[in-house]
């Protein structure tokens, strides 16, 4: 029959070997020093839950909600500023390209005139922007279709598994879908919003990565 | 989940409903007072909202939130140390231990915990006070499961040593 000695104290308290813990417990009944150590360990375990703190904080949830709303507003303001910068840069690029393509050089013109950028027809600029937006729409639709196919492949794992790992994936995908929906609602208000298009693309990429990762998980681990 | 901004907020509100109490308790035990704990929880939610795209699959958003909270508490603790503030662990009047769980050893244990290293204390609080598994702790603190087990064992051994000293001192006082 297995027996324990004072030398087994630390190993027994580590809790990795249930049989040793039981044998050591018998030893501790006849050894005052080990008995005291065991009692201390048990007292710590028993007292630990009493360290849990609870207090009412009715204002905290409101503070967090207000903070998140303010953060959302800040993000939108930043996005507007970024869009304005992007639009200005795009306008300048269009103007420079149009000048290079359509305006013949005027060798006799004074230097000051050579530096001036000719006015661009508003209709042409809008048309170019709409064409770009239409191409983005088309590419996005194709991307969404491929992600939908991935989602269908992943669906059995997401719906049938009760494992903690799959629950994590489900929770993350819900958050991503929520952010995609938020992004779409902002894009609906202005489809030429380049910054939001980039944000949406990064969200779709994140969803794709998450679905890829789920599909690569070992089925035995799910 | 559909519907946009309101749903993103709703998702974070759900996280608060599910984990708010435990997040507050952990922050309070790491920082020692209610005001700093509430600030840390608020800070953690804001950081999570700002950078949720950075978190990877395989860990749940709640685990990720606990990780952000622990790091926020470490940062706040270090800032406070730099400012040489009084890190008194005196609980305010409205603070109470979880119902039905008061224990005579609580104050001694709290004082002993203060003297533990940062990570050992966090592992002890997560495992023994908040009831996380070693797997969850490993994910929150981004350490190996074995490291979490070792830290908990080392923390308990150190706490035993502290409590033994306290008991011996009490006995000597009683005998004198």
């Amino acid at each position: 029959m297995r027996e324990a000695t004072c030398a087994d104290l630390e190993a027994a308290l580590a809790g990795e070997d249930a049989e040793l813990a039981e044998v050591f417990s018998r030893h501790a009944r006849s050894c005052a020093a080990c008995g005291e150590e065991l009692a201390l360990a048990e007292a710590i375990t028993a007292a630990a839950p009493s360290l849990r703190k609870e207090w009412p904080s009715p204002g905290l949830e409101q503070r967090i909600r207000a903070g998140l709303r303010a953060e959302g507003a800040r993000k939108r303001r930043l996005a507007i500023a970024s869009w304005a910068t992007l639009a200005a840069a795009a306008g300048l690029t269009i103007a420079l390209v149009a000048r290079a393509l359509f305006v013949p050089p005027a060798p006799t013109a004074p230097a000051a005139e050579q530096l001036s950028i000719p006015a661009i027809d508003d209709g042409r600029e809008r048309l170019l922007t709409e064409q770009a937006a239409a191409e983005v729409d088309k590419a996005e639709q194709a991307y969404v279709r491929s992600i939908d196919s991935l989602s269908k492949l992943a669906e059995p794992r997401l719906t049938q598994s009760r494992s903690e790992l799959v629950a994590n994936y489900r929770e993350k995908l819900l958050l991503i879908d929520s952010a995609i929906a938020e992004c779409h609602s902002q894009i609906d208000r202005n489809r030429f919003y380049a910054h939001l298009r980039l944000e949406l693309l990064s969200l779709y990429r994140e969803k794709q990565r998450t679905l890829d990762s789920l599909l690569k998980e070992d089925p035995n681990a799910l | 989940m559909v519907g946009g901004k309101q749903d993103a907020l709703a998702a974070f509100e759900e996280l608060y409903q599910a984990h708010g109490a435990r997040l507050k308790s952990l922050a309070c035990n790491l920082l020692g007072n209610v005001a700093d704990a509430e600030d840390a929880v608020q800070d953690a939610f804001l950081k999570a909202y700002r950078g949720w795209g950075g978190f990877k699959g395989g860990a749940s958003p709640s685990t990720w939130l606990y990780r952000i909270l622990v790091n926020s508490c470490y940062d706040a603790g270090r800032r406070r140390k730099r400012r040489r503030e009084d890190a008194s662990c005196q609980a305010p009047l409205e603070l109470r231990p979880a119902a039905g769980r008061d224990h005579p050893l609580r104050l001694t244990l709290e004082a002993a915990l203060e003297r533990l290293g940062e990570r050992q204390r966090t592992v002890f609080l997560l495992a023994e006070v908040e009831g996380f598994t070693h797997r969850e702790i490993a994910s929150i603190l981004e350490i190996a499961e074995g490291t979490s087990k070792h830290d908990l064992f080392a923390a308990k051994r150190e706490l035993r040593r502290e409590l033994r000293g306290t008991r011996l001192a009490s006995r000597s006082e009683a005998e004198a």
Side-chain angles (χ1 to χ4, degrees), chain B residues 57-153:
Chain B
S60 75
S62 54
T63 300
W64 179 64
L65 190 56
Y66 279 101
R67 185 184 305 155
I68 293 175
L69 177 75
V70 168
N71 287 328
S72 285
C73 289
Y74 286 171
D75 289 344
R78 284 172 199 140
R79 279 198 302 274
R80 193 167 57 183
K81 209 170 180 180
R82 276 202 297 274
R83 289 200 308 266
R84 295 172 184 278
E85 280 186 5
D86 172 25
S88 162
C89 202
Q90 287 298 311
L93 288 175
E94 77 275 19
L95 184 63
R96 61 178 190 272
R101 285 175 171 178
D102 205 359
H103 198 285
L105 265 180
R106 187 168 62 84
L107 291 176
T108 316
L109 201 50
E110 271 179 348
L113 270 170
E114 285 271 298
R115 289 187 280 275
L116 287 183
E118 195 172 68
R119 201 176 70 196
Q120 281 183 9
R121 183 160 46 121
T122 309
V123 169
F124 181 86
L125 290 170
L126 287 168
E128 297 292 312
V129 181
E130 305 300 340
F132 285 97
T133 63
H134 283 294
R135 187 176 167 198
E136 289 167 328
I137 294 168
S139 182
I140 290 170
L141 300 181
E142 294 182 295
I143 56 176
E145 259 186 79
T147 308
S148 171
K149 286 178 186 173
H150 175 268
D151 279 351
L152 180 62
F153 177 70

Side-chain angles (χ1 to χ4, degrees), chain B residues 25 34 43 135 140:
Chain B
S25 172
V34 167
D43 189 42
R135 187 176 167 198
I140 290 170

Side-chain angles (χ1 to χ4, degrees), chain A residues 9-11 13-16 36-41 43-57 60-61 63-65 67-69 71-72 74-76 164-165 167-169 171-172 174-179 181-183 185-186 203 206 209-210 213 217, chain B residues 1 3-9 11-13 15-17 21-22 24-25 28-29 34 37-39 42 45-46 49-50 52-53 55-61 94-98 101 103 105-106 109-110 113 124 128-130 135 149 153 156-157 159-160 163-164 167 171:
Chain A
L9 172 72
E10 299 297 342
L13 292 182
E16 297 282 304
E36 186 159 4
E37 286 299 315
L38 194 60
L40 272 175
I44 289 168
T45 301
S50 74
L51 293 179
R52 181 123 197 241
K53 306 292 193 302
E54 285 178 7
W55 70 94
S57 42
L60 180 59
E61 193 176 348
R63 272 166 55 197
I64 290 172
R65 197 180 295 127
L68 297 184
R69 288 210 170 106
E71 184 59 27
R74 192 185 70 87
K75 273 186 184 171
R76 281 192 294 282
E164 192 186 336
L165 182 65
N168 291 341
Y169 276 110
E171 203 172 346
K172 184 177 179 186
L174 280 174
L175 277 174
I176 293 174
D177 284 344
S178 162
E182 182 178 341
C183 215
S185 74
Q186 289 185 36
L203 288 167
E206 185 62 27
R209 275 197 294 270
T210 306
S213 173
E217 293 285 355
Chain B
M1 212 182 281
K5 187 179 67 170
Q6 291 307 318
D7 286 322
L9 278 175
F12 277 90
E13 279 170 16
L15 277 174
Y16 182 82
Q17 295 303 330
R22 251 197 328 180
K24 282 188 334 184
S25 172
C28 190
N29 274 317
V34 167
E38 291 192 350
D39 285 349
Q42 186 181 1
F45 271 92
L46 271 180
Y49 187 71
R50 276 179 201 143
W52 75 271
F55 96 98
K56 309 288 177 223
S60 75
E94 77 275 19
L95 184 63
R96 61 178 190 272
R101 285 175 171 178
H103 198 285
L105 265 180
R106 187 168 62 84
L109 201 50
E110 271 179 348
L113 270 170
F124 181 86
E128 297 292 312
V129 181
E130 305 300 340
R135 187 176 167 198
K149 286 178 186 173
F153 177 70
K156 284 178 166 180
R157 188 173 53 197
L159 290 172
R160 274 199 339 264
L163 291 185
R164 201 186 306 128
R167 285 191 176 184
R171 275 183 212 160

